[in-house]
Structures are given as structure tokens and as C-alpha cells.
Amino acid sequence: MRVEAPGAHAGTEADAAVTAVPGAVVSVQTADCAPIALIGEGAVAAVHAGWRGLAAGIVASSVEAVRDLAPGPVRAVVGPCIHPSCYEFGDADLDEVASALGDHVRSTTAAGRPALDLPAGVHAALAAAGVTEVDDRGTCTACSDAHWSHRAGGDPERQALAVWIAP
């Protein structure tokens, strides 16, 4: 295990951040991608799960990193993200995600076009990583007036998910 000084990676861009340092905050920003908080006994992670990261295994890698720091069960909280009714998706990219996570990520938009079911992909990746306790409120960023959506409105703003271990 590599231990680094708090703040050693401040400003670094990544799809996930993990810590076992009490009081240290890890966070991600999202617009339509899924923010995921992973919580273990003594370690936490903030994960940005877009389609590319999901297909590349960001969820499994992040769960493994939490377990490396704090063996035992990991819980997940999934924040607002775009849902399939609003997420038209190209066939080639959809094939790539389905190849990694299974055909259940294939869906259709409200207009009947091919879509990615991002929440289904997140849940499949969490299940494959052995995470059985998942809290997901089921909010679609594109349908919600309380959230920003790059796809629905071209919004440049972002939501933030922050997680930490109480000191």
C-alpha cells in the first residue's frame, strides 16, 4: 500500500479517488454520468462512472481499492445520472458497453432510439464486484429540474459527490 501526504494529488483529474485518511474528502463532479460513493469500514471512494469508465472497469477497480485499504463489505450510494429514456446512444459504443457488462444495458429512448441504460450498467458492475448493498434514488439528470444535464440542456455546470470518513 502506498501512503501519500494529504493534498498530494490536489487538482488531479481522475475517474475515482479513494482514501482511508479520516477527515480527507474525496469527490467527483458529474453532469449525466453516475456518481458513486463506495463506503467500507475505514475507507471510502468517490467514483465518476460514465460509459467509457464502466466499460473499462472503473467500478471494479474502485471497489478493489477500497477493499485493499479496508477488507470487508462495501456499500454503494449511486447519485443522479441520465436514464435510458433520455440517453440516445450509438450502436458501436452500445456494443462496447454491452460486451463489458451484458446486454441488459441496452434500452431505448422515449423516442424509440437505441439507448444505454447507465443505471443498469452501474448496478451490474457493482454486483460483479460483490457489492450487494446499493442505495439508488433513481433520479434522471435529464428529467430533473433540480440537476444539470449536459445532454438535455448543454449545461456546463456539474453536480458534485463528496465522501469522507468522519475523524
Side-chain angles (χ1 to χ4, degrees), residues 126 145 147:
L126 288 166
D145 290 337
H147 297 87

Side-chain angles (χ1 to χ4, degrees), residues 42-129:
V44 295
V47 181
H48 171 273
W51 74 268
R52 286 181 182 92
L54 273 176
I58 188 65
V59 172
S61 297
S62 300
V63 170
E64 181 180 335
V66 169
R67 286 192 177 124
D68 284 348
L69 294 171
V74 175
R75 296 179 295 130
V77 178
V78 181
C81 65
I82 198 161
H83 285 209
S85 62
C86 301
Y87 197 13
E88 186 173 334
F89 218 72
D91 289 331
D93 293 334
L94 191 52
D95 289 344
E96 182 179 338
V97 181
S99 173
L101 297 170
D103 279 333
H104 57 276
V105 301
R106 296 178 188 276
S107 190
T108 55
T109 65
R113 294 188 178 90
L116 171 64
D117 189 335
L118 184 60
V122 168
H123 284 264
L126 288 166

